[in-house]
Structures are given as C-alpha cells and as structure tokens.
C-alpha cells in the first residue's frame, strides 16, 4: 500500500483523543495529526501505522497508548476498541481497532463511537 492522507473518520478519532489531553499535549497531537500520513495498514485496516512529515522517528523503544481509549460497535453489534498510540517521545504512532470477539471487523458504526472517560 502506498501512503495516503488520513480519512475523515481517522481525523475525527484523533481529534477526540486530543480533546481529552492537557493543552500542551493536545497541541502536539493536533500538529502531528495535521502533518501525518498513513504509512501502512495491517490486518484488514485494524492497525493504521502513521508517519509524521518532518519528524525523524527514533529506533523503536516502545510505545504507549493515549488512554483510556474509545469503543464503537461493528455491524453485528460487537464492540470494537479504539486505541491511539504514541512513540517514546509522545509523538503520534498508530491507530488500532480491536474487535472484542472472533472474526474480522465488518463495518464500524461510526455514530456509536464513545470514549471511556
């Protein structure tokens, strides 16, 4: 897959995470989002790896989530957990969707998105 811009849904999710951060971290996350592209997608779109233009990501030394995350429903009413990750420098890294039951994600119902805090 070649790089692409973030979708409107991906932008919405990242903005919702940013709204819950203190002002300094919020500003960094929004700047990262505005300068990010989707570098790769794995597992049927369940893991979206992001690259920030102008940022030289260090060698991988771990990641952490902006927590708690969110949940939304799939077409069959199974919950999908939404997790946003940062690298060790607190810079935007990836967005992950985790279906809580067996099977692939069918069709997320974006209007059901809610955050756990």
């Amino acid at each position: 897959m070649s790089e692409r811009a973030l979708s409107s849904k991906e932008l919405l999710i990242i903005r919702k995470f940013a709204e819950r951060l203190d002002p300094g971290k919020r500003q960094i996350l929004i700047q990262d989002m505005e300068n990010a592209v989707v570098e790769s997608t794995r597992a049927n779109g369940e893991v979206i790896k992001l690259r920030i233009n102008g940022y030289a990501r260090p060698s991988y030394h771990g990641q952490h989530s902006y927590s708690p995350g969110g949940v939304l429903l799939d077409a069959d009413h199974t919950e999908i957990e939404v997790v946003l990750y940062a690298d060790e420098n607190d810079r935007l890294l990836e967005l992950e969707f985790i279906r809580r039951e067996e099977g692939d994600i069918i069709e997320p119902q974006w209007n059901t998105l809610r955050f756990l805090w």
Side-chain angles (χ1 to χ4, degrees):
M1 171 184 176
S2 61
E3 291 183 342
R4 66 168 175 82
L6 278 76
S7 72
S8 60
K9 300 300 182 198
E10 293 159 351
L11 290 167
L12 170 72
I13 290 168
I14 295 169
R15 281 191 193 284
K16 293 291 187 185
F17 273 94
E19 288 172 2
R20 288 155 175 79
L21 299 175
D22 66 61
K25 290 183 178 185
R26 178 182 312 127
Q27 182 177 357
I28 292 168
L29 182 54
I30 295 219
Q31 286 174 347
D32 284 354
M33 176 192 73
E34 291 172 348
N35 292 297
V37 293
V38 173
E39 184 176 58
S40 64
T41 304
R42 299 188 311 264
N44 297 326
E46 294 169 2
V47 179
I48 300 167
K49 191 83 163 170
L50 303 167
R51 182 179 61 75
I52 303 166
N53 293 319
Y55 173 61
R57 198 171 303 282
S59 298
Y60 184 81
H61 294 290
Q63 65 188 37
H64 66 276
S65 63
Y66 294 94
S67 67
V71 294
L72 58 100
L73 296 177
D74 206 347
D76 65 355
H77 302 284
T78 296
E79 281 193 343
I80 299 171
E81 184 177 356
V82 181
V83 185
L84 185 65
Y85 290 98
D87 68 13
E88 64 270 22
N89 294 330
D90 286 332
R91 303 297 297 273
L92 185 60
L93 178 64
E94 70 183 29
L95 180 61
E96 185 172 5
F97 300 92
I98 305 164
R99 185 175 156 95
R100 292 192 172 162
E101 291 184 20
E102 287 284 322
D104 292 334
I105 292 175
I106 303 164
E107 185 178 346
Q109 305 301 299
W110 298 106
N111 63 327
T112 65
L113 177 63
R114 62 185 169 81
F115 285 82
L116 303 174
W117 72 94

